Amino acid sequence: MRIGLDLDGLLDERPDFFAFLTAALRAGNHFVAVLTYRDPDARARTEAQLARWNIVCDEIHFARSLDDKGRLCRELAIDVYFDDQDECLQGVDERTTVFKVRNGGNFDFDQKKWLSKASLTRLL
């Protein structure tokens, strides 16, 4: 399988878990890519941060915008993608399974409600 992982708001939320997950995936010969909307000039800092957390990956890709991650998923033929932001997920086509991870930036823990923009959410 080809796995894509967001960095900010995902890997940095539980680096211990993602160190375990990425090691297990790589041991199983799965492809792991980190997709981030950081400045590409931050590559060395990003690689050092992942190394400190013991998160292993095959490649790191820098998106041009939040919704550019959909393009990266298509170009990299990502089978499963993990992210925390709706803006990053809306451009991912249905061929890719998406896991949305909850954190303080996308979920109001006091009210127990997801946070999203009206332009990205259709209320049922």
Side-chain angles (χ1 to χ4, degrees):
M1 293 183 79
R2 296 179 65 83
I3 310 300
L5 301 169
D6 173 45
L7 201 161
D8 298 305
L10 185 98
L11 296 180
D12 63 347
E13 293 283 325
R14 285 300 305 264
D16 56 334
F17 170 75
F18 287 106
F20 164 79
L21 180 64
T22 58
L25 288 166
R26 295 282 311 285
N29 295 316
H30 299 287
F31 174 84
V32 177
V34 172
L35 311 181
T36 183
Y37 179 49
R38 286 186 175 182
D39 185 334
D41 291 338
R43 177 175 290 277
R45 182 177 60 86
T46 300
E47 289 172 347
Q49 190 174 37
L50 294 173
R52 274 194 314 277
W53 293 335
N54 296 314
I55 292 174
V56 292
C57 65
D58 295 286
E59 299 175 0
I60 301 172
H61 292 268
F62 293 85
R64 295 176 260 197
S65 63
L66 292 176
D67 61 359
D68 187 45
K69 290 183 179 180
R71 176 191 61 83
L72 289 173
C73 285
R74 285 188 297 282
E75 289 180 4
L76 297 168
I78 296 296
D79 296 303
V80 179
Y81 182 57
F82 294 76
D83 206 304
D84 65 304
Q85 289 186 288
D86 293 339
E87 293 87 347
C88 298
L89 299 172
Q90 77 181 70
V92 177
D93 64 34
E94 57 188 81
R95 184 191 98 40
T96 301
T97 300
V98 167
F99 287 90
K100 180 178 175 181
V101 175
R102 179 180 71 169
N103 62 33
N106 65 18
F107 191 79
D108 182 327
F109 287 93
D110 292 331
Q111 293 188 19
K112 299 193 181 345
K113 292 188 178 186
W114 288 96
L115 306 173
S116 183
K117 296 178 182 176
S119 63
L120 299 174
T121 304
R122 181 174 54 108
L123 298 178
L124 303 176

